[in-house]
Amino acid sequence: MTSFADLGLIEPLAKATEVLGFESMTPVQAHSLPVMLAGKDVIAQAKTGSGKTVAFGLALLSRLRPELPQVQALVLCPTRELADQVSGELRRLARFIPNVKLVTLCGGVPVRTQTPSLAQTPHVLVGTPGRILDHLRRDTINLSKLDVLVLDEADRMLDMGFLDAIEEVVKTTPKGRQTMLFSATYTDDVRNVSRQFQSHPAQITLSENEAEVAVEQVFYEVASQQRFAALRALLLAHQDDSALVFCHTRKDTRDVAALLNADGFSALALHGELEQRERDEVLLRFTHKSCTILVATDVAARGLDIKALPLVISWELPTDPNIHIHRIGRTGRAGLMGRALALCAPSERDRAAGIAAQQKHPLRWDALPANSDGMSPHAAPMVTWVIEGGRQDKLRPGDLLGAFTAEFGLEGDAVGKIDVGKERAYLSIKHALNAELKRKLQASHGKVKVKGKQFRMSQLAGKS
């Protein structure tokens, strides 16, 4: 079975897959969906970009009964970013099911601000284990009628120390629920969790050919003192691509981003010392292409699901081969070709050997690109602007696009991504037109008129 049309989905879900352009299933979808639709527990090996969210999303939505005002499905995720992405995907899949309520519950905001969204009982909850447990203890949610539990990126949740919280959450759910567990790796801890929470699960392990991702991996041996020169050469050789650079420590992310910016690159650092809004805006600038290089720690990058990310670079090799697998899993998504490059000092050769043993094939080593001394970095193709109005002002992406093209005389293709939040909206325009927009904005006193109302706007910038 390789086609979504062969699954016998309920009509609203069949219509959604058709409208969304889903035709052929990915390997993890083809293997797991029939089993999950039959109501069985599943433990599946699946990385980010494999199509796992659509798989468990279709399965849990097929069991939903919107007429019953009770929490029927819970998806636990390791990070707020992944929870937000899962929620967005579920909403897309549920677009033709009437009266479905989905609520996302994660840290980063006060608990009291989330309570009003629970006044009307949601059918689906998506969240991080700690915050879900917090709401359970406050009696703001009830999982006694839960039908489906999903543990997404289970290995990441265990690495982050969420086992105790997960155990407490699961204790409040019925024993007869369906439990789906997805993990990029099958560690002993993951298998123990499966034994603890699942009942005779079907194990989905893809064959080597099916599991092979479309990622070109190349390793470069460099002296430690030449690491930045090597990174610069690789970025210049692939500078038409957005790149995610992994570092071990927060200090390294800040230092590497600063060195790149001083050299003319457009880079931002993502690390744990950023406030949640700063973190969100760093990611937003990167996905809007108003920054071309994101320098991140492995912890800060957990749960990131950036579509069409062609290039990942390791500033140094991780000590744990599983972390390397997660790094390269950020690229080569769902059939798109990706490239994972890694810098390796002579002292890190044992780490490289561990990665080769984990992957069960030799690593590809290459020489660094030559003749990059005379090259200069390209500017980021887009610039992101923030508008001080959002969903609470009934703004929609189409409203902003219309306002910008009408008021500032911009062509529609001059505008890139538009994201509308509760209180703020973000819109990117082509870098080449930014100076012109600034001039026109001065004439309108820094405001844009949308739906008859004036909103202040400014270029989005922030510390990294």
Side-chain angles (χ1 to χ4, degrees):
M1 189 180 295
T2 59
S3 170
F4 283 95
D6 297 332
L7 289 171
L9 295 170
I10 60 173
E11 193 275 334
L13 293 178
K15 185 177 179 182
T17 58
E18 182 180 353
V19 168
L20 293 169
F22 297 162
E23 294 179 1
S24 298
M25 289 186 279
T26 65
V28 72
Q29 291 166 350
H31 286 286
S32 67
L33 254 169
V35 182
M36 292 190 296
L37 289 170
K40 297 179 181 178
D41 287 5
V42 161
I43 175 172
Q45 190 168 7
K47 62 181 278 297
T48 298
S50 62
K52 60 185 170 69
T53 306
V54 170
F56 67 69
L58 289 172
L60 74 84
L61 290 172
S62 70
R63 295 189 58 171
L64 219 58
R65 297 175 63 188
E67 71 275 11
L68 298 179
Q70 57 198 32
V71 179
Q72 300 170 45
L74 169 65
V75 183
L76 292 179
C77 304
T79 66
R80 173 183 172 176
E81 287 74 24
L82 182 60
D84 285 340
Q85 289 149 14
V86 168
S87 297
E89 194 67 47
L90 293 181
R91 287 191 174 97
R92 291 205 310 155
L93 293 170
R95 60 178 60 191
F96 297 117
I97 304 177
N99 304 318
V100 172
K101 181 169 183 176
L102 183 150
V103 172
T104 309
L105 299 174
C106 301
V109 295
V111 175
R112 65 180 181 275
T113 65
Q114 297 173 333
T115 305
S117 66
L118 299 167
Q120 178 187 345
T121 304
H123 301 100
V124 181
L125 287 176
V126 181
T128 49
R131 183 51 58 94
I132 294 292
L133 181 58
D134 200 344
H135 279 281
L136 280 168
R137 289 171 173 170
R138 294 167 185 260
D139 290 326
T140 48
I141 60 174
N142 185 322
L143 303 180
S144 63
K145 303 293 185 183
L146 195 76
D147 288 323
V148 180
L149 170 66
V150 180
L151 304 176
D152 193 14
E153 295 202 2
D155 49 352
R156 293 287 91 192
M157 287 197 285
L158 297 178
D159 286 348
M160 294 169 73
F162 280 136
L163 178 58
D164 289 346
I166 294 170
E167 287 177 339
E168 282 202 55
V169 169
V170 176
K171 282 178 186 175
T172 69
T173 67
K175 292 190 181 300
R177 68 181 184 275
Q178 180 184 14
T179 304
M180 311 167 190
L181 187 155
F182 290 83
S183 180
T185 55
Y186 278 169
T187 63
D188 288 341
D189 288 340
V190 169
R191 294 183 189 280
N192 288 336
V193 164
S194 173
R195 284 192 287 269
Q196 187 176 352
F197 299 143
Q198 295 188 293
S199 175
H200 307 293
Q203 182 168 317
I204 309 298
T205 305
L206 305 183
S207 69
E208 196 166 319
N209 289 337
E210 289 174 315
E212 189 173 344
V213 293
V215 177
E216 176 190 15
Q217 286 192 74
V218 187
F219 291 73
Y220 302 89
E221 184 161 347
V222 296
S224 293
Q225 63 270 27
Q226 296 299 315
R227 210 183 287 271
F228 180 74
L231 176 63
R232 182 182 187 276
L234 293 176
L235 289 170
L236 288 172
H238 303 286
Q239 65 176 322
D240 290 333
D241 297 336
S242 296
L244 175 56
V245 178
F246 280 105
C247 296
H248 281 344
T249 67
R250 297 173 182 179
K251 182 179 185 302
D252 282 347
T253 64
R254 291 191 296 265
D255 291 348
V256 171
L259 287 169
L260 288 171
N261 285 314
D263 202 43
F265 291 93
S266 174
L268 288 172
L270 184 70
H271 51 75
E273 291 175 1
L274 296 178
E275 297 292 334
Q276 188 63 51
R277 180 156 145 179
E278 291 174 321
R279 175 184 172 86
D280 291 344
E281 291 186 344
V282 164
L283 286 171
L284 190 136
R285 290 174 65 187
F286 184 66
T287 58
H288 276 226
K289 297 188 182 300
S290 59
C291 147
T292 55
I293 303 165
L294 186 63
V295 187
T297 60
D298 293 292
V299 172
R302 284 172 178 164
L304 293 188
D305 187 14
I306 301 167
K307 292 180 172 59
L309 177 62
L311 180 62
V312 166
I313 301 178
S314 288
W315 171 252
E316 56 186 326
L317 295 187
T319 55
D320 182 351
N322 285 322
I323 292 177
H324 180 77
I325 291 173
H326 283 282
R327 286 182 178 183
I328 67 175
R330 305 301 169 193
T331 185
R333 286 176 43 83
L336 297 176
M337 187 62 195
R339 185 176 285 112
L341 312 179
L343 303 179
C344 175
S347 60
E348 297 167 23
R349 271 289 190 168
D350 58 334
R351 302 180 188 180
I355 292 170
Q358 176 85 352
Q359 297 186 353
K360 298 179 180 177
H361 58 72
L363 305 182
R364 173 185 162 190
W365 295 84
D366 208 342
L368 288 164
N371 304 320
S372 62
D373 290 344
M375 299 174 65
S376 299
H378 297 164
M382 309 297 287
V383 177
T384 300
W385 288 76
V386 57
I387 297 92
E388 300 298 335
R391 290 194 304 270
Q392 67 180 15
D393 304 290
K394 296 183 168 44
L395 296 187
R396 298 172 300 178
D399 300 325
L400 294 170
L401 179 61
F404 266 70
T405 54
E407 188 160 346
F408 299 120
L410 297 174
E411 298 293 331
D413 63 358
V415 179
K417 282 197 69 175
I418 301 174
D419 286 286
V420 181
K422 183 179 179 182
E423 299 174 349
R424 303 177 112 203
Y426 303 88
L427 176 148
S428 56
I429 70 159
K430 289 183 177 177
H431 186 276
L433 300 173
N434 198 50
E436 179 186 349
L437 175 61
K438 282 184 175 179
R439 285 194 300 270
K440 291 180 176 179
L441 195 59
Q442 283 180 336
S444 65
H445 307 288
K447 294 183 177 180
V448 59
K449 189 175 183 180
V450 188
K451 300 177 74 172
K453 185 178 178 182
Q454 297 283 344
F455 294 93
R456 184 165 297 281
M457 60 177 289
S458 58
Q459 187 172 320
L460 180 61
K463 66 180 182 179
S464 65

